[in-house]
Amino acid sequence: MATPVESTPCPSCGGAGYLVEQVLGKPARARRCECQVRCSRCHGTGYALVPGPSGPVAQPCACKHLDERLHLFNQIGIPAALATASFAAFKVYSAEHSTAKNLAEDFARTFRRDQPTRGFLLYGRPGGGKTHLLASTLRWLALEKGVASRYVEFMLLLSDMKDGFSAGRSHMEILRPLLSVPVLAIDELGKERGTPWEQSMLDELISRRFNSGLSTLFATNYFVEPRFTPQSAPAAGGRRDPRSPDARQEAEAMTLAQRVGDRIYSRLSEMCTFAKLDPNMDFRKDVPGAGASGYWGR
Ligand SMILES: Nc1ncnc2c1ncn2[C@@H]1O[C@H](COP(=O)(O)OP(=O)(O)O)[C@@H](O)[C@H]1O
Ligand SMILES: [Mg+2]
Ligand SMILES: [Zn+2]
Ligand SMILES: [Zn+2]
């Protein structure tokens, strides 16, 4: 009996058909792997001739699918440092890791364009893997499901809008594409100063998405529950415990509701399932050879 010939996956892409590039300061970009450049069915035209009732007809080739999905990935705006972040690269060290990863993966797998899907919000101190999971979710949606999405850091979005004002453009030029994209991830929520204008922009963005039944995902360094323990809170009479946080830490210890205001907070609780991802470890320092990207040339 003949033994089946095992086809070895492409050494460059491992069989995925695409490669994700990291270019300093640019959003992540995916491109076809060399192994996919010359499609034997359509010879790179994207259309293949298939037999029809009255002769051959041109039909989109299966490889066109790949181009469309890579295009969707390239529209997301994933930061270069997280270009290669994926569910597969996210390691589970604790129950919190597992809950947060399951939440993100369930969202990605159950997401449907034709009905509202509840989003999620991840909170915890920096370095815990929140952006990694946002990026993994959007990547999965684009490459596995063909769903369009956008990633924004809220502060950068605000500064783009302010730059737009100086150039005489309305904030709607920047906001409009974000109002209709099927999935939007807003990262670093609460980092902004929280002026009435900033709050009204956030309110407009998330209320309009909510009213249209569109999913929005969030990550924030601000906690849902208060982080002060009674010992670290200012002592009675205004004197501080020497171990108490300084003013900057005090700002960091504000709750998410305090940072974004009650109205937006209540909207977030309607739209999202909350999960804490605060694994109490510095991923790069504590895990030898860690980090999905190798971006910093470890
Ligand atoms: N559980 C994990 N598995 C694999 N890589 C991780 C994990 N947690 C964090 N990282 C990596 O550590 C770095 C910091 O994570 P990041 O998602 O930016 O944290 P946060 O957004 O919570 O501040 C990134 O390079 C990320 O890929
Ligand atoms: Mg982050
Ligand atoms: Zn390949
Ligand atoms: Zn083809």
Side-chain angles (χ1 to χ4, degrees), residues 80-112:
L82 276 298
T84 57
S86 66
F87 288 134
F90 187 81
K91 300 192 180 70
V92 170
Y93 294 96
S94 66
E96 267 180 19
H97 279 115
S98 158
T99 307
K101 186 186 178 202
N102 287 342
L103 183 62
E105 261 193 307
D106 280 354
F107 171 84
R109 286 179 200 282
T110 58
F111 176 84
R112 285 178 53 169

Side-chain angles (χ1 to χ4, degrees), residues 14 16 19 26 38 46 63 67 93 97 111 128 142 161 171 177 193 205 209 212 228 247 257 260 283:
L19 299 162
K26 294 242 174 86
R38 234 171 288 280
C63 74
D67 287 338
Y93 294 96
H97 279 115
F111 176 84
M161 287 198 268
H171 72 280
R193 282 180 303 147
L205 181 55
R209 290 187 57 83
S212 315
F228 270 131
V260 298
F283 193 84

